[in-house]
Amino acid sequence: MQKNPVQCQFVAALDSIVGKWKPIILYHLLQGKPLRFNELRRLLPDITQRMLTLHLRELEEEEIVKRVIYPQIPPKVEYSITEYGMSLSPVLETLHQWGVAHIERKQLIKQKNEQTKTD
Amino acid sequence: MQKNPVQCQFVAALDSIVGKWKPIILYHLLQGKPLRFNELRRLLPDITQRMLTLHLRELEEEEIVKRVIYPQIPPKVEYSITEYGMSLSPVLETLHQWGVAHIERKQLIKQKNEQTKTD
DNA sequence: CAGCATCCACATTGATACTG
DNA sequence: CAGTATCAATGTGGATGCTG
Protein backbone atom coordinates (compact mmCIF):
# COMPACT_ATOMS: atom_id res chain seq x y z
CA MET A 1 0.00 0.00 0.00
CA GLN A 2 1.15 3.52 -0.67
CA LYS A 3 1.02 6.68 1.36
CA ASN A 4 -1.66 8.39 -0.65
CA PRO A 5 -5.06 6.79 0.00
CA VAL A 6 -6.84 8.45 -2.91
CA GLN A 7 -4.16 7.23 -5.27
CA CYS A 8 -4.62 3.75 -3.82
CA GLN A 9 -8.33 3.74 -4.41
CA PHE A 10 -8.00 4.71 -8.02
CA VAL A 11 -5.22 2.27 -8.55
CA ALA A 12 -7.25 -0.49 -6.95
CA ALA A 13 -10.15 0.21 -9.26
CA LEU A 14 -8.09 0.63 -12.38
CA ASP A 15 -6.06 -2.48 -11.75
CA SER A 16 -9.24 -4.48 -11.97
CA ILE A 17 -10.37 -2.80 -15.13
CA VAL A 18 -7.26 -1.97 -17.02
CA GLY A 19 -5.57 -4.25 -19.36
CA LYS A 20 -6.07 -3.83 -23.02
CA TRP A 21 -9.03 -6.16 -23.20
CA LYS A 22 -10.49 -6.34 -19.73
CA PRO A 23 -13.27 -3.82 -20.24
CA ILE A 24 -14.65 -5.64 -23.26
CA ILE A 25 -14.32 -9.03 -21.66
CA LEU A 26 -16.32 -7.70 -18.73
CA TYR A 27 -18.72 -5.95 -21.04
CA HIS A 28 -19.59 -9.24 -22.68
CA LEU A 29 -19.75 -11.22 -19.47
CA LEU A 30 -21.96 -8.57 -17.91
CA GLN A 31 -24.61 -9.49 -20.47
CA GLY A 32 -25.22 -12.33 -18.04
CA LYS A 33 -24.69 -15.41 -20.16
CA PRO A 34 -21.72 -17.63 -19.26
CA LEU A 35 -19.29 -17.86 -22.12
CA ARG A 36 -16.83 -20.53 -23.14
CA PHE A 37 -13.24 -19.73 -23.87
CA ASN A 38 -13.64 -19.90 -27.62
CA GLU A 39 -16.88 -18.00 -27.54
CA LEU A 40 -15.01 -15.13 -25.96
CA ARG A 41 -12.33 -15.43 -28.59
CA ARG A 42 -14.94 -15.09 -31.28
CA LEU A 43 -16.37 -12.01 -29.59
CA LEU A 44 -12.91 -10.47 -29.39
CA PRO A 45 -11.48 -11.31 -32.80
CA ASP A 46 -8.18 -9.57 -32.26
CA ILE A 47 -7.21 -10.89 -28.88
CA THR A 48 -4.54 -13.54 -28.67
CA GLN A 49 -5.11 -16.76 -26.80
CA ARG A 50 -2.41 -15.82 -24.37
CA MET A 51 -3.90 -12.47 -23.46
CA LEU A 52 -7.39 -13.87 -23.07
CA THR A 53 -6.05 -16.46 -20.69
CA LEU A 54 -3.99 -13.96 -18.72
CA HIS A 55 -6.79 -11.47 -18.34
CA LEU A 56 -9.30 -14.10 -17.36
CA ARG A 57 -6.93 -15.42 -14.70
CA GLU A 58 -6.49 -11.98 -13.28
CA LEU A 59 -10.21 -11.36 -13.18
CA GLU A 60 -10.70 -14.74 -11.58
CA GLU A 61 -8.11 -13.93 -8.95
CA GLU A 62 -10.08 -10.87 -7.95
CA GLU A 63 -13.31 -12.85 -7.85
CA ILE A 64 -14.79 -10.71 -10.56
CA VAL A 65 -15.10 -13.65 -12.89
CA LYS A 66 -15.96 -17.25 -12.10
CA ARG A 67 -14.43 -20.18 -13.96
CA VAL A 68 -16.31 -23.45 -14.15
CA ILE A 69 -14.65 -26.53 -15.59
CA TYR A 70 -16.78 -29.33 -16.93
CA PRO A 71 -14.65 -32.47 -16.69
CA GLN A 72 -15.30 -33.95 -20.09
CA ILE A 73 -13.61 -34.55 -23.38
CA PRO A 74 -13.25 -32.32 -25.25
CA PRO A 75 -12.84 -29.96 -22.31
CA LYS A 76 -15.44 -27.32 -21.63
CA VAL A 77 -14.81 -24.26 -19.51
CA GLU A 78 -17.32 -21.55 -18.86
CA TYR A 79 -16.67 -18.05 -17.63
CA SER A 80 -19.28 -15.92 -15.97
CA ILE A 81 -19.50 -12.75 -13.98
CA THR A 82 -19.67 -13.13 -10.21
CA GLU A 83 -22.09 -11.25 -8.04
CA TYR A 84 -19.21 -9.11 -6.92
CA GLY A 85 -18.19 -8.55 -10.51
CA MET A 86 -21.63 -7.16 -11.18
CA SER A 87 -20.79 -4.28 -8.88
CA LEU A 88 -18.46 -3.14 -11.65
CA SER A 89 -21.41 -2.62 -13.94
CA PRO A 90 -21.98 1.08 -13.13
CA VAL A 91 -18.28 1.78 -13.48
CA LEU A 92 -18.08 0.19 -16.90
CA GLU A 93 -21.34 1.81 -17.85
CA THR A 94 -20.26 5.40 -17.15
CA LEU A 95 -16.89 4.71 -18.69
CA HIS A 96 -18.52 3.41 -21.82
CA GLN A 97 -20.91 6.32 -22.06
CA TRP A 98 -18.10 8.79 -21.74
CA GLY A 99 -16.16 6.95 -24.40
CA VAL A 100 -19.05 7.23 -26.81
CA ALA A 101 -19.40 10.95 -26.19
CA HIS A 102 -15.66 11.47 -26.41
CA ILE A 103 -15.46 9.84 -29.82
CA GLU A 104 -18.42 11.82 -31.11
CA ARG A 105 -16.83 15.02 -29.94
CA LYS A 106 -13.56 14.24 -31.66
CA GLN A 107 -15.34 13.61 -34.93
CA LEU A 108 -17.26 16.86 -34.66
CA ILE A 109 -14.02 18.76 -34.17
CA LYS A 110 -12.48 16.98 -37.10
CA GLN A 111 -15.41 17.91 -39.32
CA LYS A 112 -15.20 21.54 -38.29
CA ASN A 113 -11.53 21.65 -39.10
CA GLU A 114 -12.15 20.21 -42.54
CA GLN A 115 -14.86 22.80 -43.14
CA THR A 116 -12.68 25.76 -42.25
CA LYS A 117 -10.12 24.46 -44.70
CA THR A 118 -12.54 24.82 -47.59
CA ASP A 119 -13.70 28.26 -46.44
CA MET B 1 -10.08 3.09 -35.56
CA GLN B 2 -10.61 -0.59 -34.99
CA LYS B 3 -13.29 -2.98 -36.13
CA ASN B 4 -14.97 -3.39 -32.80
CA PRO B 5 -16.88 -0.24 -31.82
CA VAL B 6 -17.44 -1.21 -28.19
CA GLN B 7 -13.74 -1.85 -27.80
CA CYS B 8 -13.09 1.57 -29.31
CA GLN B 9 -15.34 3.35 -26.90
CA PHE B 10 -13.72 1.80 -23.88
CA VAL B 11 -10.28 2.41 -25.26
CA ALA B 12 -11.13 6.03 -25.96
CA ALA B 13 -12.30 6.55 -22.42
CA LEU B 14 -9.46 4.69 -20.80
CA ASP B 15 -6.83 6.43 -22.89
CA SER B 16 -7.92 9.68 -21.35
CA ILE B 17 -7.90 8.33 -17.84
CA VAL B 18 -5.13 5.81 -17.80
CA GLY B 19 -1.63 6.62 -17.04
CA LYS B 20 -0.32 5.85 -13.65
CA TRP B 21 -1.12 9.28 -12.24
CA LYS B 22 -3.85 10.72 -14.42
CA PRO B 23 -6.78 9.83 -12.19
CA ILE B 24 -5.30 11.57 -9.17
CA ILE B 25 -4.22 14.57 -11.16
CA LEU B 26 -7.78 14.88 -12.40
CA TYR B 27 -9.16 14.19 -8.97
CA HIS B 28 -7.30 17.17 -7.58
CA LEU B 29 -8.09 19.46 -10.48
CA LEU B 30 -11.76 18.51 -10.29
CA GLN B 31 -11.86 20.16 -6.88
CA GLY B 32 -12.16 23.29 -9.00
CA LYS B 33 -9.19 25.32 -7.89
CA PRO B 34 -6.47 25.95 -10.49
CA LEU B 35 -3.17 24.49 -9.37
CA ARG B 36 0.39 25.43 -10.12
CA PHE B 37 2.91 22.90 -11.27
CA ASN B 38 4.61 22.63 -7.94
CA GLU B 39 1.35 22.57 -6.06
CA LEU B 40 0.45 19.47 -7.98
CA ARG B 41 3.83 17.99 -7.20
CA ARG B 42 3.21 18.51 -3.53
CA LEU B 43 -0.17 16.84 -3.79
CA LEU B 44 1.41 13.87 -5.57
CA PRO B 45 4.56 13.35 -3.56
CA ASP B 46 5.75 10.32 -5.50
CA ILE B 47 5.35 11.56 -9.04
CA THR B 48 8.44 12.60 -10.92
CA GLN B 49 8.67 15.97 -12.58
CA ARG B 50 8.90 14.27 -15.90
CA MET B 51 5.74 12.23 -15.49
CA LEU B 52 3.74 15.16 -14.21
CA THR B 53 4.75 17.15 -17.26
CA LEU B 54 3.98 14.32 -19.65
CA HIS B 55 0.57 13.57 -18.20
CA LEU B 56 -0.40 17.21 -18.08
CA ARG B 57 0.57 17.63 -21.72
CA GLU B 58 -1.56 14.67 -22.70
CA LEU B 59 -4.54 15.95 -20.75
CA GLU B 60 -4.05 19.35 -22.32
CA GLU B 61 -3.95 17.81 -25.77
CA GLU B 62 -7.37 16.27 -25.19
CA GLU B 63 -8.73 19.56 -23.86
CA ILE B 64 -9.43 18.01 -20.51
CA VAL B 65 -7.01 20.34 -18.79
CA LYS B 66 -6.25 23.97 -19.51
CA ARG B 67 -2.79 25.46 -19.10
CA VAL B 68 -2.38 29.16 -18.40
CA ILE B 69 1.04 30.76 -18.46
CA TYR B 70 1.62 33.99 -16.59
CA PRO B 71 4.57 35.69 -18.28
CA GLN B 72 6.57 36.74 -15.26
CA ILE B 73 9.71 35.86 -13.40
CA PRO B 74 9.80 33.48 -11.69
CA PRO B 75 7.44 31.75 -14.11
CA LYS B 76 3.93 30.87 -13.02
CA VAL B 77 1.79 28.27 -14.74
CA GLU B 78 -1.65 27.25 -13.64
CA TYR B 79 -3.52 24.13 -14.56
CA SER B 80 -7.25 23.83 -14.32
CA ILE B 81 -9.99 21.52 -15.46
CA THR B 82 -11.86 22.53 -18.61
CA GLU B 83 -15.59 22.43 -18.93
CA TYR B 84 -15.21 19.37 -21.06
CA GLY B 85 -12.91 17.83 -18.48
CA MET B 86 -15.67 18.22 -15.94
CA SER B 87 -17.67 15.69 -17.90
CA LEU B 88 -15.19 13.15 -16.60
CA SER B 89 -16.34 13.80 -13.08
CA PRO B 90 -18.97 11.04 -12.90
CA VAL B 91 -16.55 8.57 -14.43
CA LEU B 92 -13.86 9.31 -11.88
CA GLU B 93 -16.45 9.39 -9.14
CA THR B 94 -17.84 5.91 -9.76
CA LEU B 95 -14.36 4.60 -10.31
CA HIS B 96 -13.22 6.04 -7.03
CA GLN B 97 -16.18 4.71 -5.13
CA TRP B 98 -15.64 1.26 -6.49
CA GLY B 99 -11.99 1.46 -5.55
CA VAL B 100 -12.88 2.30 -1.96
CA ALA B 101 -15.30 -0.60 -1.72
CA HIS B 102 -12.83 -2.93 -3.41
CA ILE B 103 -10.13 -2.16 -0.89
CA GLU B 104 -12.48 -2.56 2.05
CA ARG B 105 -13.57 -5.91 0.74
CA LYS B 106 -10.02 -7.13 0.35
CA GLN B 107 -9.26 -6.19 3.92
CA LEU B 108 -12.34 -7.97 5.20
CA ILE B 109 -11.28 -11.13 3.41
CA LYS B 110 -7.80 -10.82 4.80
CA GLN B 111 -9.16 -10.48 8.33
CA LYS B 112 -11.35 -13.54 7.90
CA ASN B 113 -8.42 -15.59 6.73
CA GLU B 114 -6.37 -14.55 9.73
CA GLN B 115 -9.24 -15.50 12.01
CA THR B 116 -9.64 -18.98 10.60
CA LYS B 117 -5.95 -19.53 11.16
CA THR B 118 -6.35 -19.07 14.91
CA ASP B 119 -9.49 -21.20 15.05
C1' DC C 1 -11.14 -27.38 -26.73
C1' DA C 2 -8.64 -24.81 -23.73
C1' DG C 3 -4.86 -23.93 -22.58
C1' DC C 4 0.83 -23.28 -21.18
C1' DA C 5 5.82 -21.97 -22.26
C1' DT C 6 9.18 -19.31 -24.47
C1' DC C 7 11.03 -15.55 -26.62
C1' DC C 8 10.65 -10.89 -28.40
C1' DA C 9 8.98 -5.94 -29.44
C1' DC C 10 7.39 -1.95 -27.89
C1' DA C 11 5.35 1.32 -24.58
C1' DT C 12 5.38 3.32 -20.12
C1' DT C 13 7.72 4.96 -16.23
C1' DG C 14 11.73 6.30 -13.48
C1' DA C 15 16.47 8.49 -12.34
C1' DT C 16 19.35 11.96 -13.00
C1' DA C 17 21.27 16.10 -14.64
C1' DC C 18 20.65 20.51 -16.70
C1' DT C 19 18.11 25.35 -18.03
C1' DG C 20 15.51 30.00 -19.29
C1' DC D 1 9.51 28.05 -10.84
C1' DA D 2 8.57 25.13 -14.37
C1' DG D 3 10.23 22.76 -17.05
C1' DT D 4 13.58 19.68 -21.00
C1' DA D 5 16.95 15.95 -22.29
C1' DT D 6 18.99 11.58 -21.94
C1' DC D 7 19.36 7.05 -20.49
C1' DA D 8 17.94 2.96 -18.01
C1' DA D 9 14.51 -0.19 -16.06
C1' DT D 10 10.21 -2.29 -16.08
C1' DG D 11 5.79 -3.77 -17.77
C1' DT D 12 2.55 -5.12 -21.13
C1' DG D 13 1.29 -7.33 -25.12
C1' DG D 14 2.25 -10.23 -29.32
C1' DA D 15 4.04 -14.40 -32.12
C1' DT D 16 4.73 -18.97 -32.27
C1' DG D 17 4.87 -23.71 -31.08
C1' DC D 18 3.44 -27.46 -28.08
C1' DT D 19 -0.06 -30.37 -25.05
C1' DG D 20 -3.67 -33.20 -22.18
Side-chain angles (χ1 to χ4, degrees):
Chain A
M1 205 73 89
Q2 297 174 26
K3 304 138 204 172
N4 190 328
V6 181
Q7 165 83 347
C8 282
Q9 288 147 5
F10 278 119
V11 169
L14 284 170
D15 272 358
S16 305
I17 285 177
V18 172
K20 189 167 171 184
W21 310 91
K22 273 190 200 170
I24 333 95
I25 293 175
L26 290 173
Y27 174 87
H28 286 298
L29 288 177
L30 276 168
Q31 307 297 314
K33 222 183 84 195
L35 294 171
R36 297 180 64 171
F37 189 82
N38 276 2
E39 284 180 313
L40 278 166
R41 281 189 78 183
R42 249 167 271 135
L43 290 168
L44 282 62
D46 295 338
I47 198 172
T48 60
Q49 218 166 17
R50 171 186 149 79
M51 288 316 297
L52 183 53
T53 306
L54 283 177
H55 280 154
L56 285 170
R57 291 295 168 282
E58 284 175 33
L59 293 169
E60 201 189 337
E61 180 97 10
E62 304 215 347
E63 292 177 69
I64 290 168
V65 159
K66 190 171 49 190
R67 181 169 176 247
V68 178
I69 307 165
Y70 297 86
Q72 59 184 52
I73 293 181
K76 173 176 170 182
V77 177
E78 272 189 349
Y79 294 91
S80 56
I81 200 88
T82 63
E83 202 171 330
Y84 179 57
M86 303 234 270
S87 70
L88 268 172
S89 178
V91 180
L92 271 307
E93 187 54 32
T94 45
L95 198 64
H96 183 250
Q97 275 174 19
W98 194 85
V100 172
H102 189 56
I103 288 177
E104 273 177 13
R105 182 169 179 274
K106 276 192 178 170
Q107 284 174 351
L108 271 176
I109 290 171
K110 207 175 131 196
Q111 280 174 25
K112 268 196 185 167
N113 288 345
E114 279 164 9
Q115 268 214 343
T116 36
K117 260 190 209 161
T118 52
D119 284 353
Chain B
M1 206 72 90
Q2 296 173 27
K3 305 137 202 174
N4 191 329
V6 180
Q7 166 82 346
C8 283
Q9 289 147 4
F10 279 118
V11 169
L14 283 171
D15 273 357
S16 305
I17 284 177
V18 172
K20 188 166 171 185
W21 310 90
K22 274 189 199 170
I24 333 94
I25 294 175
L26 291 173
Y27 173 87
H28 286 298
L29 289 177
L30 276 169
Q31 306 298 313
K33 223 184 85 194
L35 294 170
R36 298 180 63 171
F37 190 81
N38 276 1
E39 285 181 310
L40 277 167
R41 280 189 79 184
R42 251 167 271 135
L43 290 169
L44 283 59
D46 295 336
I47 197 172
T48 59
Q49 217 166 15
R50 172 186 149 77
M51 287 316 297
L52 183 52
T53 306
L54 282 178
H55 279 154
L56 285 170
R57 291 294 170 283
E58 284 175 33
L59 292 169
E60 201 190 339
E61 179 97 10
E62 302 215 347
E63 293 177 69
I64 290 168
V65 159
K66 189 172 50 192
R67 181 169 176 247
V68 179
I69 305 165
Y70 297 87
Q72 59 184 52
I73 292 181
K76 173 176 171 182
V77 178
E78 273 189 349
Y79 294 90
S80 57
I81 200 87
T82 63
E83 201 171 331
Y84 179 57
M86 302 234 269
S87 70
L88 268 172
S89 178
V91 180
L92 271 308
E93 187 53 35
T94 46
L95 200 62
H96 183 250
Q97 275 173 20
W98 194 85
V100 172
H102 189 55
I103 287 175
E104 273 177 12
R105 183 169 180 273
K106 275 192 179 170
Q107 284 173 353
L108 271 176
I109 290 172
K110 207 176 130 194
Q111 280 173 26
K112 270 196 185 169
N113 287 345
E114 280 163 9
Q115 269 214 343
T116 35
K117 262 189 208 161
T118 52
D119 285 353

